[in-house]
Amino acid sequence: MARSLLDSPTYRLLRVMGRHKALVATELERHGLHLGQELYLAQLWRADGLSSAELAARTGVSPPAVTKVVTGLERSGLVRRERDPADARLVRIWLTDAGRALREPITEIWYAAERDFWNGLSDEERAVARAAVHEVLG
């Protein structure tokens, strides 16, 4: 029988992680966020005032992707962009009070979804997820 990507541990992990994604997305919408935006906010909660390039490196996406997400967060009043006073070529991204206020509720949403995710898996699915994580992360 030929190998199939559908049998790979990574594919199986992505399938079960879809549940976590769905749990998080539903709760984020209640706070006016789209899935993925919380990851940019989390980087800023850890180190506010990152440049676009730094945020791109930390999130593993391209600078244009950062610009798009940050524009949405800025429109929502969660971040603001300012030129770096020491180097006007750099634009730094800063949390607003509203962006900082989301730290606790969004962090709780993430961890609650994680608990629900793991509790909602069968023993077999849990074993598949653990094996896939082990294989992917070594």
Side-chain angles (χ1 to χ4, degrees):
M1 178 182 228
R3 285 189 333 163
S4 170
L5 69 93
L6 302 177
D7 299 323
S8 76
T10 305
Y11 174 78
R12 294 175 77 188
L13 178 62
L14 290 172
R15 294 273 307 171
V16 296
M17 289 305 297
R19 293 182 192 169
H20 181 270
K21 183 177 172 181
L23 290 167
V24 170
T26 299
E27 293 300 316
L28 289 176
E29 287 176 12
R30 294 183 181 154
H31 291 276
L33 293 174
H34 299 292
L35 188 64
Q37 288 179 319
E38 81 280 14
L39 302 176
Y40 292 81
L41 290 173
Q43 291 297 335
L44 294 169
W45 293 328
R46 182 166 279 173
D48 202 6
L50 295 172
S51 70
S52 294
E54 291 167 329
L55 195 51
R58 290 179 183 216
T59 55
V61 301
S62 67
V66 167
T67 300
K68 183 177 179 180
V69 173
V70 168
T71 297
L73 292 170
E74 192 173 37
R75 274 193 216 122
S76 297
L78 301 175
V79 301
R80 69 182 190 287
R81 290 183 253 210
E82 293 180 8
R83 292 260 174 223
D84 186 310
D87 184 350
R89 295 170 300 172
L90 287 178
V91 173
R92 298 215 171 265
I93 301 149
W94 298 92
L95 291 162
T96 63
D97 289 342
R100 277 189 289 283
L102 287 177
R103 183 178 186 160
E104 288 304 315
I106 300 305
T107 300
E108 181 52 37
I109 285 167
W110 187 270
Y111 282 101
E114 190 169 292
R115 283 189 304 273
D116 291 347
F117 165 76
W118 286 106
N119 290 335
L121 293 179
S122 68
D123 290 340
E124 179 185 349
E125 290 169 324
R126 211 174 282 118
V128 165
R130 285 191 180 106
V133 168
H134 178 70
E135 184 166 320
V136 171
L137 300 178

